[in-house]
Amino acid sequence: MQNKGLIKLFAILFGLVSLYQLSFTWFTNGVENNAKEYAELRSNNGKEIAKLERVYLDSIANKPVIDLGFSKFSYNDIKDKELNLGLDLKGGINAILQVSVKDILIGLSNDSKNPIFNEALAKATVAQKNSDKTFLTLFYDNFEKVSDGTVKLSDPSIFGNKSLREKINFKLTDEEVMPIIEAEVTGSVNTAFEVLRSRIDKFGVTQPNIQRIGNSGRILIELPGAKDIDRVKKLLQSTAELQFWEVYSNQETANFFFAANAVVENFLKEETKVDTTTIVKDELDDLLGEVSDSLATKKVANLFTVLTPSVPQSENQVSSIIATAKVADTSKVNSYLARKDVRAVLSNDMKYAKFLWDAKPFSSKVAATGENVQLIYLYGIKSNREDVAPIEGDVIDDASQEYGQTGKPEVSMTMNATGSRQWGKMTTENVGKFVAVVLDDYVYTAPSVNTAITTGRTSISGGSMTVEEAQDIANVLKAGKLPAAAHIIQSEVVGPSLGQKAIDSSLSSFALALLLVLLWMIFYYGKAGIFADVALAVNLLFIFGILTAFGAVLTLPGIAGIILTIGMSVDANVIIFERIKEELDKGKGLKASINHGFSFKGALSAIIDANITTMLTGVILYVFGTGPVKGFAYTLMVGIVTSLFTAVFITRLLIDWYAAKGKVFTFNTNITKNWFKNEGIEFLKNRKIAYVISATIILIGLGSLFTNNLNYGVDFVGGRSYIVKFEQPTNASDVASTLKDVFGSAPEVKTYGNASQLKITTKYKIEEEGNHVDDEVQELLYNGLLKKYLPETLTLDEFKPGYEGENKVGVMSSIKVEPTIADDIKTAAGWAILGSLLVVFLYILLRFRKWQYSLGAVVAVFHDVLIVLALFSLLYKILPFDMEIGQSFIAAILTVVGYSLNDTVVIFDRIREFTGIHTSWKFNNVVDKALSSTLGRTINTSLTTLVVLFAIFLFGGDSIKGFMFALIIGVVVGTYSSLFIASPLMYDTVKKLEKKKK
């Protein structure tokens, strides 16, 4: 080998750089462990511990924690350089936000009332649920159909308005307007991206990730380590649309509520056609425990069933709070109050009234049932025909969190000259009345105006507002207003204790798998195995060094990708050692055998082909995948490069060094020296039996796929999934039955890991948009479980994921995927599989120059994928672990594709070699001999890979068992198909073509 000195220098320098990069992770962990100890000594409350940790780390953020003599590093410095852990290892939230392109278009049209424009918007909204096209494209398509040439986009009632007059005039055609609107929409999404990034930067989460997803208006946000999940969601979804309104008092609205109650009662009677006197006890008692006698005696379904009006009995009880309801009932109240017949009973001076909810619900225990319910206040806003607030947020110059006169947190705002004048006028006209500060259609405060405020300063305050909430409101006001509403269409929340459990199980399985592989290599190859182990250790150092240096995020599937590269690294060494052994058996000298083994004619050709096919699979997986799947693909690709370098160069350096000493070097041990030698198995003779076995399994599997289907996860069908931990083992069927009453239909409930953990999946209200729906579903889940399965003292906040103690009971993690993005994920997965097969087909065709090789490889891969799908369909109701079909499963399938091709290409490479050498042999002898000669390598690589996969499967986290099971099946089936499907099929097609030519 030439340039040994250069390779040594590179390996040493790269190793030192990798150690340097990894050292920051070591030091960071030390500092954070100190912070945890500090916090745990002072509190045993999860939320308080998290705050104390933050206080400790903030206090040393810019102080030197490492002093190397020539350089000093603060905590912030080393934190930026540590290995990034993903959501599944650290806890936190991963979310995809959809910036509403519909709202942007409405804004650009100045809230156009044009019926054709609005019909096109409505149809595009419906079409988007079943289409992978962008909303803008769907809008254009529908506008063209609806307008049929009668109205243009440049019409003054649509986009040819005053605000766009410099860019659009009525003479422009639709084709000319479209790129202008597209540029405006892109600009608005870019603005949203910058606003969200500014908010996240002020939030204080370390190593946040925010990126745009193409031109879809979607923004990916990852916040590993975030614990206050509710706070994060509010921060991300707040548009920061600030308004100041006059409000009605409860005295002014009392008569309306009584009239509205009668209307609601009448139409409910008509709908149900039942005697309302048979309806169960009025739920007003459940709501607040205290109602007037006149209301309590009614046993009818009406507005007051879901809403308790505030009726003042004296001047002291006059308030801006006009009613109270359960959070779970707010959508029903909204629908009642929005009805035309209900609004018809509003007095003339209230005809433009709109009803908004408080920004923060509060908990109350129902005396009769002991149930904790979340209640929320309702306010009546004095709106107008245009629904435009007298004062809006653009008048705010600055906002900050401060403490009010009572010492409670509040948001202090300073207005510009225009705002000061308007605010002075509003407060002057409303002395003795109420005004409301509204942010994103939620009322944050609605105080009584005691005196006129002419200084241009005001504040948002509330009795239960926390410092963090006040800081967040100030930050979103300073960061700016989102150009359109953004809501979470996909999210994954993982609690920190579940993340720590994943780290612990991953490390133990990783250590065990590595130990078994190291021992096997020494057992099978002796001294050569020791050198392969050293190369493997260097390979791992390089992988983690690269991941740290480039700021990659390490996820649970990423760890699986790294462990899989262990098998691939071993595979490269196995191929080289087997070729060296063959040359030694022919009587060649040690040096010549080593040279041949490491040459392109020896093992290098097969190694490069096999690694390229796997790399191509990794690239496609990276392009089409998201989140953890992308992390898996990235680590797989990095591992392929480093394992190739260490197997070819590091192992060669060590072997050459030892061989130069002139000692005996056999590349085996006394036990293994005769294994897989002179094997004369007639593989082709039994190929038809293999065809029948495979066809039978596939046919049974296809039957199961049509009857039993697959267990699709929320990734592919949409829904919400929660992993809930209980104090003791809990029966999944009982929980499903209990929750059926809560959600209307029984959710899917199954044991997740141990018997005291359940995975609960529901599609309840998944089609509904709105930031409050997630909270409503989680509260319904909490109340449904609280009756029988949760401790009575457990509050809703403690039930939610985020702050956790060692014995956390409640939601450990949650996933939400809306149907629209579920369809997109499914489509991307399909393209990923088809794309990988096409690319690999073309590569094999290019390398082997015969389409029969490509056909054999691709059919074998199809065979492997079908068998994995068949077994998942047959077994998902039987096996005790999660076997969902989701993004991680697609990653497993593509890995199986890569592994199977790796195996097949090595065998094909040997067939091609033997065809060129043994020209007098019959082709069936060439194929059989090639298969026999690679059998040692095939079994060795498969066994070491399976040992690794089984270790992770048995000792890894619950969330990865299905993923590992798919890989285990894939490796077994991939090895089988390489021997009994790919090569025999290639042989049959070659022979058939030869017969046709004759």
Side-chain angles (χ1 to χ4, degrees), residues 378-399:
L378 184 70
Y379 298 87
I381 303 298
K382 293 183 180 180
S383 188
N384 46 55
R385 183 191 295 271
E386 294 78 23
D387 193 26
V388 176
I391 307 174
E392 296 192 331
D394 54 1
V395 301
I396 302 298
D397 266 351
D398 193 21

Side-chain angles (χ1 to χ4, degrees), residues 307-354:
L307 184 78
T308 302
S310 171
V311 182
Q313 302 299 318
S314 66
E315 196 67 32
N316 292 334
Q317 292 180 356
V318 174
S319 165
S320 57
I321 298 167
I322 60 173
T324 309
K326 290 181 182 177
V327 171
D329 290 334
T330 52
S331 59
K332 192 175 286 187
V333 173
N334 290 341
S335 66
Y336 290 164
L337 295 180
R339 288 178 62 94
K340 287 184 179 179
D341 51 358
V342 171
R343 291 196 66 85
V345 300
L346 284 164
S347 60
N348 282 335
D349 59 337
M350 288 182 68
K351 64 180 179 179
Y352 296 119
K354 67 176 181 178

Side-chain angles (χ1 to χ4, degrees), residues 66-73:
I66 302 175
D67 189 351
L68 300 177
F70 59 88
S71 183
K72 293 180 180 179
F73 296 92

Side-chain angles (χ1 to χ4, degrees), residues 132-144:
D132 56 357
K133 292 182 180 179
T134 65
F135 184 87
L136 195 57
T137 303
L138 292 170
F139 166 72
Y140 288 153
D141 292 344
N142 281 284
F143 184 84
E144 187 179 350

Side-chain angles (χ1 to χ4, degrees), residues 955-973:
F955 301 100
D958 299 322
S959 62
I960 208 169
K961 284 193 186 297
F963 179 73
M964 286 294 110
F965 185 69
L967 290 180
I968 289 167
I969 296 171
V971 169
V972 173
V973 176

Side-chain angles (χ1 to χ4, degrees), residues 547 553-555 557-559 561 622 626-636:
L547 292 176
V553 178
L554 183 64
T555 60
I559 289 177
Y622 187 80
T626 57
V629 175
K630 226 178 184 72
F632 172 79
Y634 185 81
T635 53
L636 188 64

Side-chain angles (χ1 to χ4, degrees), residues 2 48 342 383 397 416 429 600 676 795 822 850:
Q2 297 177 339
E48 192 61 32
V342 171
S383 188
D397 266 351
N416 59 24
E429 292 172 353
F600 194 79
F676 306 111
T795 65
K850 283 188 178 181

Side-chain angles (χ1 to χ4, degrees), residues 474-726:
N475 286 339
V476 296
L477 291 175
K478 283 194 289 186
K481 173 184 169 183
L482 283 176
H487 79 280
I488 294 173
I489 57 172
Q490 179 184 354
S491 67
E492 182 178 3
V493 177
V494 179
S497 65
L498 201 62
Q500 189 58 50
K501 184 181 176 184
I503 293 174
D504 295 341
S505 59
S506 298
L507 286 174
S508 59
S509 62
F510 186 89
L512 178 63
L514 188 59
L515 179 64
L516 291 172
V517 170
L518 296 177
L519 291 174
W520 174 259
M521 291 299 287
I522 296 169
F523 166 75
Y524 196 88
Y525 290 109
K527 293 185 180 72
I530 296 173
F531 298 144
D533 288 348
V534 173
L536 184 57
V538 173
N539 181 27
L540 291 174
L541 176 64
F542 286 176
I543 290 172
F544 282 105
I546 290 170
L547 292 176
T548 308
F550 287 95
V553 178
L554 183 64
T555 60
L556 207 54
I559 289 177
I562 291 170
I563 297 177
L564 203 61
T565 61
I566 294 174
M568 297 182 65
S569 181
V570 167
D571 181 45
N573 279 311
V574 166
I575 296 172
I576 292 167
F577 293 169
E578 291 297 322
R579 295 308 294 263
I580 293 172
K581 283 165 66 178
E582 285 176 13
E583 296 304 305
L584 289 171
D585 289 342
K586 291 175 185 177
K588 283 189 180 181
L590 180 60
K591 190 174 181 182
S593 299
I594 291 169
N595 286 336
H596 180 80
F598 282 95
S599 70
F600 194 79
K601 287 184 177 180
L604 199 56
S605 172
I607 291 169
I608 289 173
D609 281 337
N611 278 276
I612 286 177
T613 52
T614 311
M615 177 66 86
L616 289 171
T617 306
V619 168
I620 289 165
L621 196 56
Y622 187 80
V623 170
F624 287 98
T626 57
V629 175
K630 226 178 184 72
F632 172 79
Y634 185 81
T635 53
L636 188 64
M637 290 188 291
V638 169
I640 288 167
V641 175
T642 57
S643 63
L644 191 63
F645 174 80
T646 54
V648 174
F649 295 110
I650 303 297
T651 308
R652 179 71 187 272
L653 283 173
L654 295 168
I655 286 175
D656 282 351
W657 163 76
Y658 191 79
K661 293 185 174 183
K663 295 181 180 180
V664 177
F665 201 4
T666 58
F667 290 87
N668 54 34
T669 62
N670 290 331
I671 300 172
T672 62
K673 63 182 178 182
N674 293 317
W675 287 13
F676 306 111
K677 273 193 176 182
N678 303 315
E679 299 291 345
I681 301 171
E682 295 180 336
F683 288 94
L684 295 179
K685 188 177 179 181
N686 301 309
R687 69 188 187 279
K688 290 182 181 177
I689 297 172
Y691 291 165
V692 170
I693 292 170
S694 293
T696 303
I697 295 171
I698 288 170
L699 285 172
I700 293 170
L702 288 173
S704 178
L705 285 169
F706 283 113
T707 55
N708 204 29
N709 214 323
L710 289 162
N711 181 27
Y712 290 107
V714 293
D715 282 2
F716 280 5
V717 295
R720 292 179 178 84
S721 190
Y722 304 89
I723 295 172
V724 183
K725 185 179 178 184
F726 299 87

